[in-house]
């Protein structure tokens, strides 16, 4: 199995379908490494601990983490299964960014940013990352989010070790889309 295939498989199993590899996650999203390797092996995906550690270390977005003795592994974000990742709430920067596509703007204007199938709304501290996230779906639109104001109004924010900001929802009033529907890149108002 290539590193890339293993990364995709880990995303699928550790975020969405642990049962697909015959394993379960604990409340904080951790899986037993031996059980995971055995589960992958049973599906004909022979992977050893060295390759697993290599993929965790070199993954482009640092999506996964191993615990100190490499006996447990989890995804750092992106889950659709219920997990409590145990991150400490943090004060976010005044402005964060979200990458999306134009087709989503009417619904976002109406309902704000929703977590959709994921565990949280994903935001980034820089526009470039948001542009890359949006470009996965087409021509990227980068929205600014008034994270500081939302936080002062009671919104709770977390940041994963790999720098992704997570929050439950961003109501429309905190999303920078102007009346023309053109996303306000980096605008604070
Ligand atoms: C949109 C990848 C309609 C939202 C990336 C997005 C990221 C709405 C899509 C991470 C909406 C959800 C997360 C609303 C939000 N109405 N559409 N009210 N609110 N949307 O993939 O943020 O490779 O679940 O704009 O790099 O795109 O998986 O979220 O277009 O970090 O590690 O609904 O996934 O990382 O899409 O991406 P997603 P996302 P990984």
């Amino acid at each position: 199995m290539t590193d890339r295939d293993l990364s995709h498989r880990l995303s699928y199993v550790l975020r969405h379908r642990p049962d697909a590899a015959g394993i379960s996650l604990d409340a904080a999203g951790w899986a037993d490494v031996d059980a995971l390797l055995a589960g992958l092996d049973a599906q004909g995906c022979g992977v050893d601990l060295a390759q697993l550690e290599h993929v965790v270390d070199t993954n482009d977005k640092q999506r996964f983490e191993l615990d100190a003795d490499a006996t447990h592994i989890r995804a750092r974000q992106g889950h659709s299964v219920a997990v409590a990742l145990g991150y400490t709430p943090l004060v976010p920067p005044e402005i964060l960014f979200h990458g999306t596509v134009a087709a989503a703007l009417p619904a976002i204007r109406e309902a704000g940013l929703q977590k959709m199938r994921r565990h949280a709304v994903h935001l980034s501290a820089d526009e470039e990352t948001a542009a890359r996230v949006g470009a996965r779906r087409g021509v990227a639109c980068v929205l600014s989010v008034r994270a500081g104001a939302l936080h002062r109004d009671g919104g709770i924010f977390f940041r994963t070790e790999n720098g992704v900001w997570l929050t439950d929802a961003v109501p429309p009033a905190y999303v920078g889309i102007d009346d023309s529907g053109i996303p306000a890149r980096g605008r604070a108002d």
Side-chain angles (χ1 to χ4, degrees):
M1 184 172 232
T2 65
D3 289 353
R4 190 178 156 78
D5 288 344
L6 178 56
S7 173
H8 286 160
R9 191 76 197 149
L10 290 175
S11 285
Y12 183 66
V13 168
L14 296 175
R15 290 169 162 180
H16 309 299
R17 293 290 307 274
D19 57 298
I23 61 166
S24 53
L25 308 183
D26 75 9
W30 294 101
D32 184 84
V33 165
D34 288 340
L36 174 67
L37 294 177
L40 294 176
D41 199 35
Q43 297 175 323
C45 312
V47 172
D48 59 15
L49 180 60
Q51 189 182 5
L52 188 69
E53 288 181 326
H54 177 73
V55 165
V56 170
D57 281 348
T58 58
N59 184 260
D60 57 348
K61 291 194 198 157
Q62 294 289 293
R63 291 181 178 89
F64 314 108
E65 61 185 321
L66 284 160
D67 63 0
D69 56 3
T71 56
H72 294 87
I73 184 171
R74 72 173 176 179
R76 285 184 158 141
Q77 80 274 329
H79 300 80
S80 59
V81 295
V83 291
L85 295 170
Y87 296 127
T88 308
L90 284 179
V91 179
E94 204 53 36
I95 299 293
L96 288 171
F97 299 96
H98 178 83
T100 189
V101 286
L105 295 181
I108 291 172
R109 188 185 290 105
E110 193 70 27
L113 292 172
Q114 303 282 321
K115 52 191 168 184
M116 312 307 278
R117 287 158 185 247
R118 306 223 183 213
H119 199 241
V121 174
H122 287 221
L123 302 168
S124 57
D126 62 287
E127 290 185 65
E128 293 69 30
T129 302
R132 270 201 303 279
V133 170
R136 288 153 52 240
R137 301 179 186 283
V139 177
C141 288
V142 175
L143 307 180
S144 58
V145 168
R146 298 191 304 124
L150 177 53
H151 178 259
R152 286 188 289 279
D153 293 343
I156 297 177
F157 289 78
F158 303 93
R159 189 183 59 210
T160 69
E161 287 87 341
N162 52 338
V164 177
W165 284 89
L166 304 175
T167 195
D168 199 46
V170 180
Y174 301 89
V175 182
I177 308 176
D178 68 20
D179 288 341
S180 66
I182 298 166
R185 293 178 66 105
R187 213 179 56 178
D189 60 345

